[in-house]
Amino acid sequence: MTRHFLEVDDLSASELAEVLAASRADNGRLLAGLGVAVVMTLPSTRTRNSTEMAVTDLGGHAVALAGGEVGIDARETAEDVARTLAQYHRAICVRVTDHEVLVRMAKAIDDAGLDVPVVNLLSSMGHPVQALADLLTIADLCPGRVEGLRGARIAWIGDSNNVARSLSLGAVALGMHVTVSSPERYRFGAADLERVASHAQRAGLGGALVQADEPAAAVAGALAVCTDVWASMGQEHERDARMAAFSGFRVDTALLELASPDAVLLHCLPAHRGEEVTAEILDGPRSRVWQQTAHRRTAMRGLLAWLVSRAP
Ligand code: CP
Ligand code: NVA
């Protein structure tokens, strides 16, 4: 059965470790002569560039398609788009607001008996390829690399959003402790907490997610403090309400001082300086955002190599 990558917990903990290891390995030209579709129905700078360059690194050819030209569920159904792209490509990578579209595309591929993974390049539910890069960036801080992440603490400050969800799933799978601090309305719900807890339990490495009311409590002992925009794509109309609700959840110097002495900042970008993070922190010596950005390509290379080298 084809393995898709719609969320981090599509991988077991050991498979996640394999993908991260593959990211750092020489995978040769696994995609030589093969195509990868990169469909973007929302804006993207990092994800499109890192995906296309990862395909190039593996010797393949990426075809980038804007949402308007494909017209998912407008020009034709998501299922027909998936079955069409699968005739030309070894993987189909898609950024789309509605996560269910990805699920439908993956099902159409499975039902047709095709061996073409569908990869989530961000939906309103998750950003799993970002999480892989985040984990590689955090692993760079640990002497034991990925294995060294077990027991490490990270904090997520701000919206419990798509990026937070994927990172949390990945972190607990590697045995990390995640503390999330969001305004009450913007916290993970029971279903998310349950999903992360069961993934942590399956991994069996002692990872856990807890929520903290106060950002100051969340960052205590954290080696990485992570944040993201307060209004994600598609939530722009909620901007004023969100700016008010999140005003006490900015990552600034005073907050970072409460984390581990060597704590670093992670932010998937794009960033809004002065909102979720101060310019002083984002552009300062404790920021790892450019390493994180570079790791998008590293991570995508590992993921694609892992997916295409599996037997169907
Ligand atoms: N972090 C991230 O996914 O950036 P883009 O939206 O620019 O792809
Ligand atoms: N949470 C953000 C991430 C952008 C990369 C969004 O969904 O817009």
Side-chain angles (χ1 to χ4, degrees):
M1 177 112 150
T2 298
R3 296 294 298 274
H4 303 288
F5 188 65
L6 305 192
E7 186 46 283
V8 173
D9 58 359
D10 287 343
L11 302 175
S12 69
S14 59
E15 289 171 340
L16 173 61
E18 285 172 20
V19 168
L20 297 177
S23 299
R24 299 194 190 277
D26 177 1
N27 294 291
R29 294 173 60 79
L30 269 175
L31 288 175
L34 300 171
V36 172
V38 182
V39 183
M40 291 292 187
T41 72
L42 295 164
S44 170
T45 304
R46 281 144 289 267
T47 308
R48 175 173 169 185
N49 279 279
S50 58
T51 302
E52 288 198 34
M53 291 312 298
V55 173
T56 300
D57 292 340
L58 295 169
H61 178 74
V63 176
L65 297 140
E69 59 189 319
V70 181
I72 296 177
D73 288 333
R75 187 162 183 260
E76 58 189 324
T77 65
E79 287 82 357
D80 283 353
V81 171
R83 287 184 285 246
T84 298
L85 294 175
Q87 309 304 317
Y88 311 118
H89 295 291
R90 187 65 185 84
I92 300 171
C93 305
V94 186
R95 170 170 285 195
V96 63
T97 304
D98 180 2
H99 190 81
E100 194 53 30
V101 168
L102 298 170
V103 175
R104 286 170 50 210
M105 293 177 86
K107 183 172 185 307
I109 296 282
D110 293 342
D111 290 349
L114 298 162
D115 180 24
V116 180
V118 175
V119 175
N120 178 4
L121 294 184
L122 181 148
S123 71
S124 60
M125 291 300 294
H127 198 358
V129 293
Q130 176 70 52
L132 299 178
D134 300 351
L135 294 171
L136 287 171
T137 309
I138 300 168
D140 285 345
L141 306 171
C142 302
R145 293 292 180 97
V146 170
E147 297 73 25
L149 291 177
R150 187 172 181 180
R153 291 187 176 279
I154 61 170
W156 179 276
I157 307 299
D159 193 13
S160 295
N161 64 10
N162 46 3
V163 176
R165 183 175 292 107
S166 296
L167 177 58
S168 297
L169 285 165
V172 300
L174 300 178
M176 300 171 75
H177 296 260
V178 185
T179 307
V180 177
S181 186
S182 307
E184 196 169 351
R185 255 194 81 187
Y186 302 97
R187 289 181 190 165
F188 284 130
D192 279 318
L193 295 176
E194 168 55 29
R195 181 174 181 171
V196 175
S198 17
H199 193 51
Q201 194 175 20
R202 280 194 300 277
L205 296 176
L209 180 150
V210 295
Q211 302 197 89
D213 292 342
E214 298 298 328
V219 301
L223 90 161
V225 175
C226 314
T227 191
D228 186 14
V229 290
W230 290 340
S232 286
M233 289 182 274
Q235 298 170 336
E236 292 81 1
H237 60 288
E238 299 174 22
R239 188 181 149 78
D240 290 350
R242 284 173 171 266
M243 292 307 117
F246 283 97
S247 64
F249 292 78
R250 178 173 299 115
V251 178
D252 58 14
T253 302
L255 186 65
L256 212 55
E257 288 297 315
L258 301 173
S260 288
D262 298 330
V264 301
L265 170 84
L266 263 62
H267 189 315
C268 64
L269 305 178
H272 293 165
R273 289 172 178 78
E275 293 181 13
E276 72 276 3
V277 61
T278 59
E280 186 183 12
I281 293 298
L282 189 83
D283 301 319
R286 297 172 81 169
S287 173
R288 289 291 175 281
V289 299
W290 302 116
Q291 291 88 338
Q292 196 181 355
T293 299
H295 268 320
R296 294 296 308 277
R297 177 176 176 178
T298 325
M300 205 62 203
R301 209 158 47 209
L303 176 69
L304 290 170
W306 188 88
L307 287 170
V308 305
S309 51
R310 294 184 66 76

